[in-house]
Amino acid sequence: MRIGIMSAMHEEINALIQTVKSPRTTRLGDRSYYEGDLWGTEAVLAFSRWGKVASASTVATLILKFEVDVVLFTGVAGAMDNALDIGDVVVGEAFYQHDMDARPIFKQFEIPLAGKSFFLASKKLNTKLLSATEAFLHSDAIDDDVKKTFAITAPKVITGAIASGDKFVSSNKDAERIKQALPQVKCVEMEGAAVAQVCAEYDVPFGIIRTISDSANHTADIDFMKFTQEVASKYSIGIIRNFLNA
Ligand code: SAH
């Protein structure tokens, strides 16, 4: 198996790159791709940058140029479900593009000419990701003082729908609009559904996990740097390590 792993956060993918022994680096389309052995699995790692276009072009390159068999994406997201707290994890099932609106030609959220409004992650990968995440959350990988800083007490993992769009959601108004239109959505981010669409089009199984970093409202611009460095990147490494060793 050759696995493609991507992230929209520099800190997260860098932490993974550091665990690859002498990675081979390729520059292509303004991105860097790192190939090498990741805990015994052939891997290609890439930092996608933010947004649907950036992540779509990165995942297409992983599939076409680097010929990965599966794609994993790790990142952070804003909570849409009130039951989610910062530090919880969502394993994405269905992926919607909340800013797709070609009415009146197509229904709101329908992907033009695809005949659907969402793309589904691989059930098999999700089962593995879920247990990898549960095992990670039950370990003591995050320091107590870091947990305290972000008020993380008993982090949990859930599965559910995720919405993506080219918008950093940081107002109650925008968050409410998405919640009303897509009430099944657990969290909001900027890449997942684009990656999902490209993987579906090439018939490549994919799994996307998101650590909740904010509540997608006026408090959304928390200390992200600290959060990705001290929480989200540790989650990514720990979860992917469990996933690959399972
Ligand atoms: N590290 C940045 C913030 C990252 S937020 C900083 O220095 O401020 C943007 C990334 O996190 C995107 O890739 C997106 O997928 C995800 N994300 C996290 N919270 C989000 C929100 N409330 N709305 C949209 N995307 C969010």
Side-chain angles (χ1 to χ4, degrees):
M1 180 182 71
R2 192 168 164 78
I3 189 167
I5 303 176
M6 48 194 295
S7 171
M9 305 302 288
H10 223 191
E11 298 82 3
E12 278 183 280
I13 208 72
N14 277 353
L16 275 171
I17 291 163
Q18 274 155 29
T19 67
V20 174
K21 276 176 239 111
S22 42
R24 197 148 52 95
T25 308
T26 309
R27 275 300 286 176
L28 201 60
D30 235 0
R31 305 280 187 283
S32 295
Y33 295 85
Y34 305 87
E35 289 172 86
D37 178 278
L38 185 66
W39 298 302
T41 301
E42 223 184 294
V44 190
L45 312 179
F47 164 53
S48 67
R49 301 188 178 177
W50 301 358
K52 292 188 298 168
V53 175
S55 55
S57 77
T58 309
V59 73
T61 306
L62 279 174
I63 293 169
L64 296 174
K65 170 82 182 165
F66 294 96
E67 299 183 329
V68 299
D69 308 303
V70 291
V71 169
L72 288 191
F73 190 109
T74 75
V76 293
M80 288 282 112
D81 182 335
N82 290 338
L84 285 172
D85 298 309
I86 286 172
D88 289 347
V89 177
V90 178
V91 175
E93 281 176 330
F95 288 84
Y96 293 85
Q97 297 177 23
H98 69 73
D99 54 356
M100 177 57 77
D101 190 351
R103 287 178 291 180
I105 308 153
F106 296 101
K107 282 185 297 198
Q108 189 181 12
F109 308 122
E110 185 169 331
I111 309 301
L113 309 178
K116 52 174 86 171
S117 307
F118 59 84
F119 294 94
L120 293 172
S122 154
K123 277 207 173 80
K124 218 168 134 191
L125 290 178
N126 273 5
T127 305
K128 277 183 78 177
L129 282 170
L130 197 59
S131 43
T133 308
E134 264 159 7
F136 172 77
L137 293 178
H138 288 123
S139 68
D140 289 327
I142 309 291
D143 292 343
D144 284 345
D145 54 328
V146 173
K147 280 189 178 164
K148 220 168 158 187
T149 306
F150 294 101
I152 298 171
T153 49
K156 58 187 176 291
V157 55
I158 61 160
T159 56
I162 293 181
S164 315
D166 288 325
K167 170 96 189 146
F168 181 71
V169 181
S170 60
S171 73
N172 285 329
K173 192 170 148 258
D174 286 336
E176 279 313 313
R177 195 181 42 79
I178 297 169
K179 284 180 195 174
Q180 298 238 317
L182 294 166
Q184 68 277 45
V185 157
K186 305 291 181 196
C187 65
V188 68
E189 35 87 319
M190 300 176 71
E191 300 83 18
V195 171
Q197 182 175 345
V198 175
C199 286
E201 287 170 353
Y202 284 103
D203 204 16
V204 171
F206 68 93
I208 299 174
I209 51 167
R210 292 285 181 171
T211 302
I212 300 301
S213 56
D214 61 85
S215 311
N217 58 22
H218 59 285
T219 63
D221 58 343
I222 51 142
D223 191 350
F224 257 114
M225 200 51 121
K226 197 173 159 77
F227 186 80
T228 32
Q229 269 167 5
E230 295 183 15
V231 183
S233 46
K234 298 224 164 98
Y235 273 51
S236 291
I237 290 209
I239 294 167
I240 287 174
R241 189 178 191 156
N242 288 349
F243 174 88
L244 292 177
N245 290 337

